[in-house]
């Protein structure tokens, strides 16, 4: 079931087999449905305006840079045991700054690529959330989000 080029999932499946002696699919098949008396509700904090999300992503990425993100990646880049094929280095932001440090692009281009990659990640997350049509949505940029969440929970009679 795993894609032949998905080295990360293949490595994890092999690790599970070595540790347990069972395939991942066999272990999943053995799992029992959880027994509990709870009803779960998904409350999703999602942006109503994609443009505002994009502004926040850019602002946050630049804040991270101002707080030393490039220095962090540079210290990792200097370690001989790390390389760009590792999943930890392929993470959003790290990969783009690594490319800059390797001389593959300018600093400005790395920043723009990091922001674009973060936007793509956010889009995938929102797509995943939309696969849950029963979720209750709250605009993450609206006024007093914690109070809205509490009001929603109270209306659902989940807490007193």
């Amino acid at each position: 079931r795993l894609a032949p080029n998905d080295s990360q999932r293949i490595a994890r499946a092999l690790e599970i087999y070595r540790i347990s002696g069972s395939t991942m699919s066999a272990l999943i098949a053995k799992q029992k449905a959880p027994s509990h008396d709870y009803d779960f509700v998904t409350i999703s904090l999602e942006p109503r305006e994609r443009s505002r999300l994009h502004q926040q992503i850019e602002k946050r990425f630049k804040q991270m840079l101002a707080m030393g993100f490039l220095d962090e990646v540079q210290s990792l880049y200097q370690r001989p045991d790390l390389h760009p094929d590792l999943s930890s280095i392929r993470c959003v932001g790290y990969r783009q700054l690594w490319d800059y440090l390797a001389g593959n692009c300018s600093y400005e281009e790395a920043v723009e690529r990091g922001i674009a990659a973060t936007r793509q990640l956010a889009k995938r997350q929102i797509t995943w959330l939309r696969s849950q049509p029963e979720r209750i949505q709250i605009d993450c940029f609206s006024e007093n989000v914690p109070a809205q969440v509490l009001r929603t929970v109270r209306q659902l009679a989940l807490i007193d």
Side-chain angles (χ1 to χ4, degrees), residues 2 6-17 19 24:
L2 299 176
D6 194 344
S7 59
Q8 191 170 347
R9 286 196 174 131
I10 291 170
R12 179 67 179 138
L14 290 170
E15 179 184 12
I16 289 170
Y17 183 76
I19 291 171
M24 193 165 51

Side-chain angles (χ1 to χ4, degrees), residues 107-125:
Y107 176 76
E108 294 76 18
E109 190 176 357
V111 171
E112 288 306 312
R113 286 181 186 177
I115 292 167
T118 306
R119 286 179 179 171
Q120 290 167 353
L121 174 60
K123 183 178 181 182
R124 288 192 303 274
Q125 291 171 333

Side-chain angles (χ1 to χ4, degrees), residues 16-28:
I16 289 170
Y17 183 76
R18 280 190 170 162
I19 291 171
S20 69
S22 296
T23 63
M24 193 165 51
S25 55
L27 289 175
I28 290 170

Side-chain angles (χ1 to χ4, degrees), residues 3 28 35 47 51 56 94 97 111 113 124 134 148 154:
I28 290 170
S35 59
S51 62
Q56 282 297 116
Y94 288 84
L97 293 179
V111 171
R113 286 181 186 177
R124 288 192 303 274
E134 72 287 351
Q148 287 186 51
R154 285 187 179 114

Side-chain angles (χ1 to χ4, degrees), residues 22-88:
S22 296
T23 63
M24 193 165 51
S25 55
L27 289 175
I28 290 170
K30 286 182 190 176
Q31 287 181 345
K32 296 179 182 176
S35 59
H36 52 71
D37 297 327
Y38 304 106
D39 291 324
F40 292 95
V41 175
T42 300
I43 299 175
S44 174
L45 304 179
E46 299 177 41
R48 293 229 196 295
E49 298 174 40
R50 182 81 49 103
S51 62
R52 184 144 181 220
L53 175 62
H54 289 180
Q55 291 170 353
Q56 282 297 116
I57 286 170
E58 181 175 350
K59 179 181 173 186
R60 179 64 182 132
F61 196 87
K62 289 179 177 178
Q63 281 178 336
M64 289 168 50
L65 289 166
M67 294 172 65
F69 185 35
L70 179 59
D71 295 334
E72 176 185 338
V73 177
Q74 193 162 25
S75 68
L76 297 172
Y77 183 80
Q78 293 170 349
R79 287 182 43 181
D81 59 326
L82 300 179
H83 53 83
D85 294 330
L86 295 171
S87 58
S88 56

